[in-house]
Amino acid sequence: MGVDLLNITGLKELEQQGPVVMVNLMRFHARSLDGDGSGWDAYLRYSALTVPMIKARGGTLLWTGDAKAVALGEQDGNQWDYLALVYYPSVAAFIDMMTSEDYEMRCDPHRRNGCAEHVIIATAEAYSKFKK
């Protein structure tokens, strides 16, 4: 579930010029794997380090929220604890962050300690109410 699972080939096939919003689906460990608090606590440490890296690449955190219930679809395998929508100006900016030594050494260990599962889905905008 680490950076080694990053789908570089699939990402590079996406439009490289336009912005992308990454939909993050997370399920947390009850206890952080390093023993330092809960999985949520480890994820907060991860976020504190990662958000400045996102901003440094022209991105921003758009929205986060607790997952409450599966409204449509199969329950099994679709129980998530938390969601985040993260804007990047390009797929290249996302890849640059995720493959940086700083991310791998400082951020990813907290993500691994906190998340039992973390899926990131790359999206291309079809419509947005966020635009002015």
Side-chain angles (χ1 to χ4, degrees):
M1 186 198 61
V3 176
D4 54 313
L5 296 178
L6 193 61
N7 181 8
I8 298 286
T9 303
L11 288 169
K12 287 187 175 184
E13 291 175 5
L14 298 176
E15 173 60 46
Q16 295 293 312
Q17 302 304 315
V20 63
V21 172
M22 298 298 183
V23 177
N24 289 253
L25 305 170
M26 292 152 279
R27 190 174 303 117
F28 300 116
H29 293 292
R31 297 284 309 155
S32 176
L33 296 182
D34 65 0
D36 187 8
S38 67
W40 173 249
D41 294 331
Y43 182 76
L44 291 177
R45 290 189 291 275
Y46 166 78
S47 292
L49 295 169
T50 306
V51 169
M53 294 178 74
I54 294 167
K55 289 182 178 181
R57 287 163 175 83
T60 191
L61 187 60
L62 294 174
W63 183 91
T64 65
D66 295 325
K68 295 296 187 181
V70 175
L72 177 70
E74 294 294 323
Q75 295 271 351
D76 291 343
N78 284 316
Q79 287 85 21
W80 300 99
D81 294 321
Y82 197 67
L83 288 81
L85 303 178
V86 185
Y87 167 90
Y88 292 89
S90 66
V91 171
F94 173 75
I95 292 171
D96 179 65
M97 185 190 82
M98 294 293 287
T99 59
S100 70
E101 183 177 345
D102 198 29
Y103 179 87
E104 186 175 352
M105 302 307 289
R106 295 180 60 228
C107 303
D108 201 47
H110 295 296
R111 187 183 68 80
R112 288 176 185 251
N113 286 330
C115 293
E117 190 163 359
H118 186 181
V119 174
I120 302 175
I121 302 167
T123 68
E125 182 179 298
Y127 168 82
S128 176
K129 193 79 169 182
F130 287 124
K131 289 186 178 179
K132 295 179 182 180

